[in-house]
Amino acid sequence: MSRKQQVDAAEGIARRLVEGMGNFDSPLPRLTQLVKRFSAVEFEVPELPDADGYLFQYGKANWFPDPTFTLGIVRQLEVVDASGEHESYVQVQFEFRYPMDDDLESVGSHSEWWFPGDEASFDSWLDSVDRAEISSLIATKRPRNFEIWQELV
């Protein structure tokens, strides 16, 4: 029987998974492999369909000093108080950051959620992320960096 992890440990678990994966020479397929491994970790969240979900997103980020294009997957975990009422969400972000260029500028932005109970299975959803149009373009680019972080929303 597996023991569920505390939500506040999610970032540390994600970082340990990355350490064991080597380099990310093909960014999107490696990212979906990482997320698949991370999805195997169960966290203490309510038994609700939207308590543990994923967001695939990419686009121009205007909060960096240099023009930047980001591509990533977020795992969102619900946090409840002692009485079981919604308190907040913890989001663990896996994000590639690329220097903006004309190709990436022309892509625009995209965001797509997946939650248990959606029509597509999680594996099917991840496969569709791997096959996303952006995949072939990103494969020709070199990311500036790859970041993992956790935030409370």
Side-chain angles (χ1 to χ4, degrees):
M1 181 181 280
S2 68
R3 187 179 151 257
K4 291 186 178 183
Q5 301 294 315
Q6 296 300 310
V7 171
D8 60 2
E11 180 183 7
I13 292 167
R15 288 186 180 282
R16 285 190 295 281
L17 288 172
V18 169
E19 289 170 5
M21 288 192 68
N23 69 11
F24 281 72
D25 52 349
S26 53
L28 199 47
R30 294 292 281 176
L31 180 59
T32 56
Q33 283 178 336
L34 170 61
V35 169
K36 189 169 191 161
R37 290 176 66 201
F38 190 48
S39 74
V41 178
E42 292 185 39
F43 289 94
E44 286 287 342
V45 296
E47 295 291 327
L48 299 170
D50 61 350
D52 186 354
Y54 295 83
L55 171 64
F56 170 55
Q57 61 186 351
Y58 59 82
K60 183 178 183 177
N62 59 6
W63 51 88
F64 296 106
D66 297 320
T68 302
F69 183 89
T70 63
L71 178 140
I73 298 180
V74 176
R75 184 171 183 182
Q76 179 172 278
L77 303 162
E78 185 172 6
V79 177
V80 295
D81 62 19
S83 64
E85 295 296 316
H86 172 79
E87 189 173 284
S88 59
Y89 292 101
V90 165
Q91 292 184 335
V92 179
Q93 310 258 353
F94 300 93
E95 183 177 84
F96 285 100
R97 296 176 184 165
Y98 296 86
M100 185 61 75
D101 63 20
D102 291 341
D103 293 337
L104 294 172
E105 181 82 46
S106 71
V107 169
S109 63
H110 175 78
S111 63
E112 176 183 338
W113 283 96
W114 181 89
F115 289 97
D118 282 2
E119 192 171 306
S121 70
F122 182 67
D123 287 343
S124 295
W125 181 77
L126 270 183
D127 288 344
S128 74
V129 168
D130 265 343
R131 293 187 315 273
E133 272 186 52
I134 191 69
S135 185
S136 58
L137 177 59
I138 289 297
T140 67
K141 308 291 182 187
R142 182 174 177 89
R144 182 181 298 139
N145 57 341
F146 175 73
E147 297 291 333
I148 298 172
W149 77 96
Q150 178 174 303
E151 64 185 337
L152 194 63
V153 295

